């Protein structure tokens, strides 16, 4: 099975995490990874700390307003 590009995996994971939709409702197309590939990468990234690192990097982006939202406890 070919390796899914990380950008497509990240698109898919962000979609799942932001919308709260079920894995079976993940969009299909050119910019999305499959649900099985996305789930596999989510599991790997949670285990090796990559997901927490990505979350910290996103929350540290002041231009996007995430730092403010994190300070106010709006993002958990």
């Amino acid at each position: 099975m070919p390796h899914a590009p990380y950008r497509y995996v990240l698109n898919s994971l962000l979609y799942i995490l932001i919308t709260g939709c079920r894995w079976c409702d993940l969009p299909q197309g050119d910019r999305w990874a499959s649900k099985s590939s996305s789930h596999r990468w989510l599991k790997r990234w949670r285990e090796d700390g990559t997901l927490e690192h990505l979350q910290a990097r996103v929350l540290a982006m002041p231009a996007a307003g995430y730092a403010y939202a994190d300070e106010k406890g709006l993002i958990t």
Side-chain angles (χ1 to χ4, degrees):
M1 176 151 257
H3 176 69
Y6 292 131
R7 180 61 198 188
Y8 298 169
V9 173
L10 189 57
N11 286 347
S12 301
L13 293 178
L14 288 174
Y15 185 85
I16 291 285
L17 295 171
I18 290 170
T19 65
C21 75
R22 301 176 302 166
W23 287 102
C24 63
D25 295 331
L26 188 65
Q28 297 177 1
D30 295 342
R31 296 178 299 192
W32 307 99
S34 68
K35 61 184 176 184
S36 60
S37 182
S38 299
H39 189 265
R40 183 172 51 251
W41 279 107
L42 176 62
K43 184 178 176 185
R44 279 187 197 171
W45 288 351
R46 285 170 89 187
E47 290 172 355
D48 70 9
T50 302
L51 191 62
E52 289 77 17
H53 177 73
L54 289 171
Q55 181 182 13
R57 293 291 304 260
V58 168
L59 292 176
M61 297 170 59
Y66 294 119
Y68 173 79
D70 187 40
E71 290 170 2
K72 297 296 182 186
L74 302 174
I75 299 176
T76 59

